[in-house]
Amino acid sequence: MSIPYTKASEISAELFARMQGITVANGAETDTGLRVYRGRRNVDETQVPCAVVIEGNDTPRDRPGRLPAVSITQRFVLAAYVPCDADNPNDAAHAAVRDIKRAIFKDGGSWGNKVSRVSYQGRDIGPRAVGRPIVFVTVDIDVDYVEDLTNP
Protein backbone atom coordinates (compact mmCIF):
# COMPACT_ATOMS: atom_id res chain seq x y z
CA MET A 1 0.00 0.00 0.00
CA SER A 2 1.29 3.45 -0.85
CA ILE A 3 1.85 6.17 1.72
CA PRO A 4 -0.38 9.21 1.12
CA TYR A 5 1.18 12.54 0.29
CA THR A 6 0.63 15.19 2.97
CA LYS A 7 2.79 18.03 1.61
CA ALA A 8 2.62 20.23 -1.48
CA SER A 9 6.34 19.57 -2.01
CA GLU A 10 5.66 15.81 -2.30
CA ILE A 11 2.95 16.42 -4.89
CA SER A 12 5.20 18.80 -6.82
CA ALA A 13 7.97 16.16 -6.86
CA GLU A 14 5.50 13.56 -8.17
CA LEU A 15 4.40 15.91 -10.95
CA PHE A 16 8.02 16.70 -11.79
CA ALA A 17 8.83 12.98 -12.13
CA ARG A 18 5.74 12.31 -14.24
CA MET A 19 6.57 15.20 -16.56
CA GLN A 20 10.16 13.93 -16.93
CA GLY A 21 8.74 10.70 -18.34
CA ILE A 22 7.28 12.49 -21.37
CA THR A 23 9.79 11.50 -24.03
CA VAL A 24 9.54 9.89 -27.43
CA ALA A 25 11.86 7.14 -26.12
CA ASN A 26 9.17 6.35 -23.50
CA GLY A 27 6.41 6.22 -26.12
CA ALA A 28 5.20 9.84 -25.93
CA GLU A 29 4.48 11.98 -28.97
CA THR A 30 6.81 14.78 -27.82
CA ASP A 31 10.05 15.18 -25.90
CA THR A 32 8.52 17.62 -23.43
CA GLY A 33 10.15 15.82 -20.49
CA LEU A 34 13.75 16.30 -21.63
CA ARG A 35 13.91 19.44 -19.48
CA VAL A 36 11.45 20.01 -16.65
CA TYR A 37 11.55 23.10 -14.47
CA ARG A 38 9.85 23.87 -11.16
CA GLY A 39 8.15 27.24 -11.44
CA ARG A 40 10.32 28.75 -14.17
CA ARG A 41 8.44 31.58 -15.90
CA ASN A 42 10.76 32.49 -18.79
CA VAL A 43 11.90 29.97 -21.36
CA ASP A 44 14.01 30.74 -24.41
CA GLU A 45 14.36 28.83 -27.68
CA THR A 46 17.48 26.98 -26.52
CA GLN A 47 15.46 25.23 -23.79
CA VAL A 48 12.70 23.89 -26.07
CA PRO A 49 11.27 21.28 -25.77
CA CYS A 50 10.63 21.60 -22.08
CA ALA A 51 7.98 21.56 -19.38
CA VAL A 52 7.29 23.67 -16.31
CA VAL A 53 5.42 22.63 -13.16
CA ILE A 54 3.75 25.75 -11.75
CA GLU A 55 2.18 25.65 -8.30
CA GLY A 56 -1.01 27.67 -8.05
CA ASN A 57 -3.14 28.67 -5.11
CA ASP A 58 -4.35 26.16 -2.59
CA THR A 59 -7.81 26.15 -1.08
CA PRO A 60 -7.94 24.75 2.46
CA ARG A 61 -11.09 23.33 4.00
CA ASP A 62 -11.29 22.58 7.69
CA ARG A 63 -12.06 19.03 8.62
CA PRO A 64 -14.48 19.30 11.56
CA GLY A 65 -13.00 17.70 14.64
CA ARG A 66 -9.85 16.78 12.76
CA LEU A 67 -7.53 19.78 13.19
CA PRO A 68 -4.56 20.12 12.88
CA ALA A 69 -5.24 18.19 9.63
CA VAL A 70 -6.88 20.14 6.84
CA SER A 71 -8.21 19.12 3.44
CA ILE A 72 -6.55 21.08 0.64
CA THR A 73 -7.23 21.48 -3.05
CA GLN A 74 -4.01 22.61 -4.75
CA ARG A 75 -4.03 23.97 -8.32
CA PHE A 76 -1.11 23.03 -10.57
CA VAL A 77 -0.47 24.34 -14.06
CA LEU A 78 1.58 22.00 -16.22
CA ALA A 79 3.10 23.93 -19.10
CA ALA A 80 4.93 22.66 -22.17
CA TYR A 81 6.91 24.41 -24.86
CA VAL A 82 7.32 22.29 -27.99
CA PRO A 83 8.65 22.81 -31.50
CA CYS A 84 5.95 23.10 -34.13
CA ASP A 85 5.21 23.57 -37.81
CA ALA A 86 4.82 27.34 -38.13
CA ASP A 87 1.76 26.88 -40.37
CA ASN A 88 0.06 24.32 -38.11
CA PRO A 89 1.19 24.91 -34.50
CA ASN A 90 -1.90 23.33 -33.00
CA ASP A 91 -0.86 19.87 -34.22
CA ALA A 92 2.17 19.87 -31.91
CA ALA A 93 0.12 21.56 -29.18
CA HIS A 94 -2.50 18.80 -29.18
CA ALA A 95 0.26 16.17 -29.01
CA ALA A 96 1.80 17.89 -25.98
CA VAL A 97 -1.59 18.11 -24.23
CA ARG A 98 -2.22 14.41 -24.86
CA ASP A 99 1.22 13.55 -23.47
CA ILE A 100 0.64 15.57 -20.30
CA LYS A 101 -2.78 14.02 -19.72
CA ARG A 102 -1.40 10.49 -20.18
CA ALA A 103 1.49 11.17 -17.78
CA ILE A 104 -0.72 12.63 -15.06
CA PHE A 105 -3.63 10.18 -15.27
CA LYS A 106 -1.78 6.99 -16.30
CA ASP A 107 -2.74 5.24 -13.07
CA GLY A 108 -6.07 6.90 -12.37
CA GLY A 109 -7.25 9.88 -10.46
CA SER A 110 -5.59 9.22 -7.10
CA TRP A 111 -2.05 8.18 -8.10
CA GLY A 112 -2.47 4.81 -6.42
CA ASN A 113 -4.19 6.35 -3.38
CA LYS A 114 -1.30 8.75 -2.69
CA VAL A 115 -3.77 11.68 -2.88
CA SER A 116 -7.52 11.96 -2.43
CA ARG A 117 -8.13 13.02 -6.03
CA VAL A 118 -6.50 14.48 -9.12
CA SER A 119 -8.98 16.28 -11.36
CA TYR A 120 -8.59 17.76 -14.82
CA GLN A 121 -9.49 21.46 -14.92
CA GLY A 122 -8.86 22.29 -18.59
CA ARG A 123 -6.16 23.15 -21.07
CA ASP A 124 -5.01 26.12 -23.12
CA ILE A 125 -3.02 26.53 -26.30
CA GLY A 126 -1.16 29.82 -26.15
CA PRO A 127 -0.70 32.09 -29.14
CA ARG A 128 2.44 31.34 -31.14
CA ALA A 129 4.83 34.24 -31.50
CA VAL A 130 5.21 35.33 -35.11
CA GLY A 131 8.22 33.69 -36.73
CA ARG A 132 8.93 31.33 -33.83
CA PRO A 133 8.40 27.61 -34.46
CA ILE A 134 7.43 27.00 -30.83
CA VAL A 135 3.99 26.51 -29.32
CA PHE A 136 3.04 26.81 -25.63
CA VAL A 137 0.34 24.75 -23.89
CA THR A 138 -0.96 24.40 -20.36
CA VAL A 139 -2.94 21.71 -18.60
CA ASP A 140 -4.56 22.69 -15.31
CA ILE A 141 -5.21 20.12 -12.60
CA ASP A 142 -6.42 20.22 -9.01
CA VAL A 143 -4.94 17.82 -6.46
CA ASP A 144 -6.88 17.10 -3.27
CA TYR A 145 -4.93 15.88 -0.26
CA VAL A 146 -4.88 16.16 3.55
CA GLU A 147 -2.10 18.19 5.12
CA ASP A 148 -0.95 17.89 8.71
CA LEU A 149 -0.44 21.53 9.73
CA THR A 150 2.03 20.52 12.45
CA ASN A 151 4.30 18.94 9.79
CA PRO A 152 3.78 20.93 6.56
Side-chain angles (χ1 to χ4, degrees):
M1 177 160 177
S2 62
I3 298 172
Y5 292 146
T6 61
K7 300 174 169 102
S9 60
E10 293 169 331
I11 294 165
S12 182
E14 176 78 24
L15 289 169
F16 182 82
R18 286 172 182 256
M19 296 295 283
Q20 283 184 311
I22 302 174
T23 64
V24 172
N26 287 337
E29 295 178 68
T30 67
D31 275 324
T32 301
L34 291 178
R35 287 176 213 79
V36 181
Y37 302 104
R38 293 178 203 85
R40 185 177 189 129
R41 298 290 176 157
N42 296 315
V43 171
D44 66 46
E45 290 182 22
T46 65
Q47 297 160 319
V48 173
C50 69
V52 182
V53 176
I54 302 166
E55 295 188 39
N57 292 335
D58 67 6
T59 304
R61 294 175 313 283
D62 286 343
R63 298 175 63 208
R66 300 278 183 129
L67 285 177
V70 63
S71 295
I72 293 180
T73 299
Q74 174 83 41
R75 174 66 49 102
F76 289 87
V77 178
L78 309 170
Y81 295 83
V82 294
C84 67
D85 172 349
D87 292 329
N88 300 291
N90 284 6
D91 294 346
H94 287 292
V97 168
R98 285 190 298 268
D99 283 345
I100 293 169
K101 287 178 181 178
R102 281 191 288 262
I104 300 309
F105 294 101
K106 66 183 175 186
D107 53 359
S110 70
W111 297 343
N113 296 318
K114 290 181 180 177
V115 295
S116 301
R117 182 176 63 153
V118 181
S119 58
Y120 175 72
Q121 297 299 312
R123 60 100 174 141
D124 185 31
I125 298 174
R128 188 183 63 79
V130 175
R132 292 184 68 202
I134 298 167
V135 67
F136 170 72
V137 302
T138 61
V139 172
D140 294 3
I141 62 169
D142 282 347
V143 180
D144 294 341
Y145 64 101
V146 176
E147 181 179 68
D148 177 356
L149 297 175
T150 65
N151 186 25

